[in-house]
Amino acid sequence: MTASHPNIGFVGLGWPGERHAEGVIACSLGTVHSACDLNQERLDNFVTAYRPARAFTDFKEMLADPALDAVVICLPNALHYPFSLQALQAGKHVLCEKPPTMNAAQMRTLHEEAQKRGLVYYFGRQMRFSPGMQAAKKLVKERRLGEIYFAETMWVRSRGTPDGVDGWFTERSKAGGGAIIDLGVHAIDAAWYLMGTPQPRAISAQTYQKFPQLVKNNVFDVEDNGYGMIRFENGATLLFKVSWAANLQDDIPLSSKRGRSLLSTLIYGPKGSIKIIDAFEADTDNFPSPIVFFEEQQGVPAKVDVAVQDERGAALRAYEFREQATNFLRCIRGEEAAVNSSSQAVQLMEMLDAIYRSSQLGREVAL
Ligand SMILES: NC(=O)c1ccc[n+]([C@@H]2O[C@H](COP(=O)([O-])OP(=O)(O)OC[C@H]3O[C@@H](n4cnc5c(N)ncnc54)[C@H](O)[C@@H]3O)[C@@H](O)[C@H]2O)c1
């Protein structure tokens, strides 16, 4: 039976776990019911801030609660698959942070498990819900660009290699990869979603590890840069640039924690082009708008103002997490289809797998 006001349990209570809890509270469609983390301090802080009825350090104990309807998983990447699978097998709906899994084979298993059990599996990609993205999607739907044939997307940082608790981000066995699986998943998904999620056909990519001196952890066996091109079945192509660390120049805004940082996506059609900018990590608010639209007028591209709710910084993420929680909870209630569906998570992981395969082989690979 589908709960009308689902009880949600949260596992992994760092920055994303807290944002998801705030999203659930803000949308008023579900309850922050339980919380789980091995780290007692994080667990205590979460309980104080969001008042779940139950707190655990053992995920299996949390899952055994019959009152629990769904879990939100914000753990190191290697735990996404086993924890999502256990939750589905226990009859709980799942929202799991990005990357959905470590590879496409794992994601296919989760997709099938969720389908078989009639449960929602939902991957975390809150930026699909930003006001800039929603405004861009609307323009694309109104065919203001015509057929999108090309896109460029990037998430680049100049000095932003992450660590996480115990430095897991830089270890392949715990993270599945480096900058590509961490930031590339956001940048590639932003473009792919705007392009209408076309079927990927071939990928040529190269990853690099060039900044080992920035890593405190003893293990650093993943990439800190990755670049490449994806060809889609409909003939469209996508160029991507991703870096945790690179000697970026001053067209990329300064970021107090990351050196320089920018997530931006540009799509082109014969009638116009759209750029969406996410400067969440940048120190400046000095961007004219989160969306820039150029449309062909009298034979030349001209800038057109787009009405958009202009959220910045923490307010932007709060908006996105609330909208994402709304869609997830309405899916559980059977009222809406998943924007971040398990079938798209499979395709996304297939693209990430192919990026790593292409880099290893040194040539284009087919999907
Ligand atoms: N959507 C976003 O914008 C966004 C931002 C940051 C991180 N993330 C994703 O969220 C995930 C977590 O990232 P993070 O930065 O919070 O990492 P983190 O290392 O800061 O936090 C992970 C948490 O999981 C807990 N944990 C580890 N193993 C556990 C277990 N077996 N049982 C219970 N708790 C356990 C740790 O104690 C820690 O509190 C990653 O997959 C990351 O890619 C997404």
Tab-separated table of all heavy atoms in Angstrom, residues 191-217:
chain	number	residue	atom	x	y	z
A	191	ALA	N	23.391	18.602	-19.642
A	191	ALA	CA	23.252	18.757	-21.100
A	191	ALA	C	22.317	17.687	-21.673
A	191	ALA	O	21.435	17.984	-22.484
A	191	ALA	CB	24.621	18.669	-21.755
A	192	TRP	N	22.523	16.457	-21.233
A	192	TRP	CA	21.742	15.327	-21.765
A	192	TRP	C	20.251	15.534	-21.482
A	192	TRP	O	19.393	15.309	-22.347
A	192	TRP	CB	22.259	14.043	-21.115
A	192	TRP	CG	21.632	12.775	-21.602
A	192	TRP	CD1	21.555	12.345	-22.894
A	192	TRP	CD2	21.005	11.764	-20.803
A	192	TRP	NE1	20.921	11.118	-22.931
A	192	TRP	CE2	20.579	10.746	-21.668
A	192	TRP	CE3	20.788	11.612	-19.432
A	192	TRP	CZ2	19.929	9.587	-21.224
A	192	TRP	CZ3	20.142	10.458	-18.981
A	192	TRP	CH2	19.721	9.468	-19.867
A	193	TYR	N	19.931	16.009	-20.281
A	193	TYR	CA	18.536	16.264	-19.894
A	193	TYR	C	17.941	17.380	-20.761
A	193	TYR	O	16.833	17.251	-21.291
A	193	TYR	CB	18.512	16.636	-18.411
A	193	TYR	CG	17.145	16.923	-17.845
A	193	TYR	CD1	16.126	15.980	-17.891
A	193	TYR	CD2	16.875	18.153	-17.235
A	193	TYR	CE1	14.872	16.253	-17.355
A	193	TYR	CE2	15.636	18.426	-16.684
A	193	TYR	CZ	14.635	17.476	-16.758
A	193	TYR	OH	13.406	17.746	-16.228
A	194	LEU	N	18.707	18.463	-20.953
A	194	LEU	CA	18.214	19.570	-21.802
A	194	LEU	C	18.026	19.129	-23.255
A	194	LEU	O	17.146	19.621	-23.950
A	194	LEU	CB	19.201	20.737	-21.775
A	194	LEU	CG	19.070	21.731	-20.631
A	194	LEU	CD1	20.142	22.800	-20.747
A	194	LEU	CD2	17.677	22.368	-20.643
A	195	MET	N	18.891	18.213	-23.703
A	195	MET	CA	18.815	17.730	-25.092
A	195	MET	C	17.650	16.750	-25.277
A	195	MET	O	17.406	16.294	-26.402
A	195	MET	CB	20.133	17.033	-25.485
A	195	MET	CG	21.327	17.973	-25.528
A	195	MET	SD	22.888	17.064	-25.606
A	195	MET	CE	23.150	17.005	-27.387
A	196	GLY	N	16.959	16.398	-24.191
A	196	GLY	CA	15.823	15.471	-24.285
A	196	GLY	C	16.226	14.023	-24.093
A	196	GLY	O	15.552	13.119	-24.596
A	197	THR	N	17.332	13.776	-23.365
A	197	THR	CA	17.873	12.431	-23.088
A	197	THR	C	17.940	11.538	-24.338
A	197	THR	O	17.402	10.432	-24.351
A	197	THR	CB	17.086	11.710	-21.954
A	197	THR	OG1	15.744	11.480	-22.367
A	197	THR	CG2	17.116	12.491	-20.654
A	198	PRO	N	18.609	12.017	-25.410
A	198	PRO	CA	18.764	11.156	-26.597
A	198	PRO	C	19.606	9.919	-26.267
A	198	PRO	O	20.380	9.920	-25.311
A	198	PRO	CB	19.501	12.069	-27.589
A	198	PRO	CG	20.211	13.079	-26.735
A	198	PRO	CD	19.327	13.291	-25.538
A	199	GLN	N	19.434	8.889	-27.103
A	199	GLN	CA	20.161	7.627	-26.909
A	199	GLN	C	21.637	7.817	-27.268
A	199	GLN	O	21.961	8.171	-28.396
A	199	GLN	CB	19.528	6.578	-27.833
A	199	GLN	CG	20.141	5.211	-27.805
A	199	GLN	CD	19.876	4.494	-26.487
A	199	GLN	OE1	18.792	4.625	-25.911
A	199	GLN	NE2	20.863	3.779	-26.001
A	200	PRO	N	22.578	7.580	-26.319
A	200	PRO	CA	24.004	7.701	-26.665
A	200	PRO	C	24.449	6.558	-27.576
A	200	PRO	O	23.998	5.425	-27.405
A	200	PRO	CB	24.711	7.629	-25.308
A	200	PRO	CG	23.728	7.024	-24.371
A	200	PRO	CD	22.352	7.257	-24.900
A	201	ARG	N	25.328	6.876	-28.538
A	201	ARG	CA	25.778	5.866	-29.493
A	201	ARG	C	27.282	5.600	-29.426
A	201	ARG	O	27.735	4.483	-29.609
A	201	ARG	CB	25.409	6.296	-30.929
A	201	ARG	CG	24.049	5.850	-31.335
A	201	ARG	CD	23.991	4.317	-31.535
A	201	ARG	NE	22.652	3.793	-31.457
A	201	ARG	CZ	22.157	3.065	-30.447
A	201	ARG	NH1	22.893	2.776	-29.392
A	201	ARG	NH2	20.927	2.602	-30.470
A	202	ALA	N	28.099	6.646	-29.187
A	202	ALA	CA	29.556	6.458	-29.164
A	202	ALA	C	30.194	7.555	-28.321
A	202	ALA	O	29.658	8.670	-28.224
A	202	ALA	CB	30.120	6.500	-30.582
A	203	ILE	N	31.326	7.213	-27.725
A	203	ILE	CA	32.014	8.183	-26.862
A	203	ILE	C	33.509	8.104	-27.113
A	203	ILE	O	34.091	7.023	-27.226
A	203	ILE	CB	31.729	7.886	-25.365
A	203	ILE	CG1	30.259	8.183	-25.061
A	203	ILE	CG2	32.652	8.697	-24.452
A	203	ILE	CD1	29.855	8.106	-23.607
A	204	SER	N	34.129	9.282	-27.210
A	204	SER	CA	35.591	9.368	-27.240
A	204	SER	C	36.011	10.266	-26.093
A	204	SER	O	35.529	11.397	-25.995
A	204	SER	CB	36.059	9.948	-28.578
A	204	SER	OG	37.467	9.943	-28.599
A	205	ALA	N	36.853	9.761	-25.207
A	205	ALA	CA	37.193	10.551	-24.016
A	205	ALA	C	38.603	10.242	-23.550
A	205	ALA	O	39.183	9.209	-23.896
A	205	ALA	CB	36.209	10.226	-22.891
A	206	GLN	N	39.144	11.180	-22.793
A	206	GLN	CA	40.437	10.940	-22.154
A	206	GLN	C	40.403	11.496	-20.744
A	206	GLN	O	39.959	12.626	-20.541
A	206	GLN	CB	41.566	11.612	-22.955
A	206	GLN	CG	42.944	11.105	-22.574
A	206	GLN	CD	43.108	9.596	-22.841
A	206	GLN	OE1	42.802	9.105	-23.916
A	206	GLN	NE2	43.559	8.861	-21.836
A	207	THR	N	40.848	10.693	-19.791
A	207	THR	CA	40.964	11.179	-18.412
A	207	THR	C	42.449	11.316	-18.057
A	207	THR	O	43.312	10.674	-18.672
A	207	THR	CB	40.285	10.216	-17.412
A	207	THR	OG1	41.007	8.989	-17.408
A	207	THR	CG2	38.835	9.956	-17.764
A	208	TYR	N	42.726	12.160	-17.075
A	208	TYR	CA	44.112	12.414	-16.644
A	208	TYR	C	44.173	12.517	-15.134
A	208	TYR	O	43.198	12.942	-14.502
A	208	TYR	CB	44.611	13.758	-17.195
A	208	TYR	CG	44.602	13.852	-18.692
A	208	TYR	CD1	43.502	14.399	-19.361
A	208	TYR	CD2	45.690	13.416	-19.450
A	208	TYR	CE1	43.478	14.489	-20.745
A	208	TYR	CE2	45.668	13.505	-20.836
A	208	TYR	CZ	44.563	14.041	-21.470
A	208	TYR	OH	44.546	14.125	-22.833
A	209	GLN	N	45.344	12.189	-14.578
A	209	GLN	CA	45.629	12.518	-13.180
A	209	GLN	C	46.885	13.383	-13.179
A	209	GLN	O	47.979	12.914	-13.464
A	209	GLN	CB	45.872	11.257	-12.361
A	209	GLN	CG	45.877	11.554	-10.877
A	209	GLN	CD	46.671	10.556	-10.073
A	209	GLN	OE1	47.899	10.630	-10.003
A	209	GLN	NE2	45.960	9.615	-9.485
A	210	LYS	N	46.712	14.690	-12.893
A	210	LYS	CA	47.821	15.643	-13.038
A	210	LYS	C	48.171	16.400	-11.763
A	210	LYS	O	49.141	17.143	-11.741
A	210	LYS	CB	47.472	16.672	-14.140
A	210	LYS	CG	47.331	16.072	-15.523
A	210	LYS	CD	48.686	15.656	-16.074
A	210	LYS	CE	48.569	14.956	-17.419
A	210	LYS	NZ	49.822	14.331	-17.841
A	211	PHE	N	47.352	16.269	-10.699
A	211	PHE	CA	47.581	17.081	-9.492
A	211	PHE	C	47.628	16.235	-8.212
A	211	PHE	O	46.891	16.498	-7.263
A	211	PHE	CB	46.503	18.171	-9.381
A	211	PHE	CG	46.555	19.173	-10.499
A	211	PHE	CD1	45.947	18.905	-11.713
A	211	PHE	CD2	47.246	20.374	-10.347
A	211	PHE	CE1	46.017	19.821	-12.765
A	211	PHE	CE2	47.320	21.291	-11.391
A	211	PHE	CZ	46.693	21.010	-12.599
A	212	PRO	N	48.536	15.243	-8.160
A	212	PRO	CA	48.607	14.383	-6.962
A	212	PRO	C	49.006	15.162	-5.714
A	212	PRO	O	48.648	14.777	-4.607
A	212	PRO	CB	49.677	13.345	-7.332
A	212	PRO	CG	50.453	13.952	-8.441
A	212	PRO	CD	49.520	14.851	-9.193
A	213	GLN	N	49.705	16.275	-5.891
A	213	GLN	CA	50.174	17.045	-4.723
A	213	GLN	C	49.034	17.651	-3.910
A	213	GLN	O	49.232	18.075	-2.775
A	213	GLN	CB	51.172	18.144	-5.167
A	213	GLN	CG	50.594	19.317	-5.933
A	213	GLN	CD	50.440	19.064	-7.447
A	213	GLN	OE1	50.455	17.924	-7.905
A	213	GLN	NE2	50.272	20.129	-8.219
A	214	LEU	N	47.810	17.703	-4.492
A	214	LEU	CA	46.677	18.299	-3.773
A	214	LEU	C	45.958	17.298	-2.871
A	214	LEU	O	45.052	17.663	-2.119
A	214	LEU	CB	45.655	18.852	-4.774
A	214	LEU	CG	46.160	19.913	-5.739
A	214	LEU	CD1	45.036	20.330	-6.683
A	214	LEU	CD2	46.683	21.128	-4.976
A	215	VAL	N	46.355	16.021	-2.958
A	215	VAL	CA	45.594	14.972	-2.255
A	215	VAL	C	46.298	14.572	-0.960
A	215	VAL	O	47.461	14.185	-0.981
A	215	VAL	CB	45.409	13.745	-3.175
A	215	VAL	CG1	44.714	12.615	-2.447
A	215	VAL	CG2	44.617	14.157	-4.412
A	216	LYS	N	45.540	14.668	0.152
A	216	LYS	CA	46.121	14.310	1.467
A	216	LYS	C	46.021	12.804	1.706
A	216	LYS	O	46.857	12.211	2.357
A	216	LYS	CB	45.371	15.050	2.584
A	216	LYS	CG	45.656	16.547	2.608
A	216	LYS	CD	44.868	17.211	3.736
A	216	LYS	CE	44.105	18.408	3.198
A	216	LYS	NZ	42.677	18.308	3.177
A	217	ASN	N	44.981	12.178	1.186
A	217	ASN	CA	44.774	10.741	1.369
A	217	ASN	C	45.956	9.947	0.791
A	217	ASN	O	46.565	10.367	-0.195
A	217	ASN	CB	43.473	10.355	0.640
A	217	ASN	CG	43.061	8.922	0.893
A	217	ASN	OD1	43.475	8.311	1.856
A	217	ASN	ND2	42.225	8.407	0.005
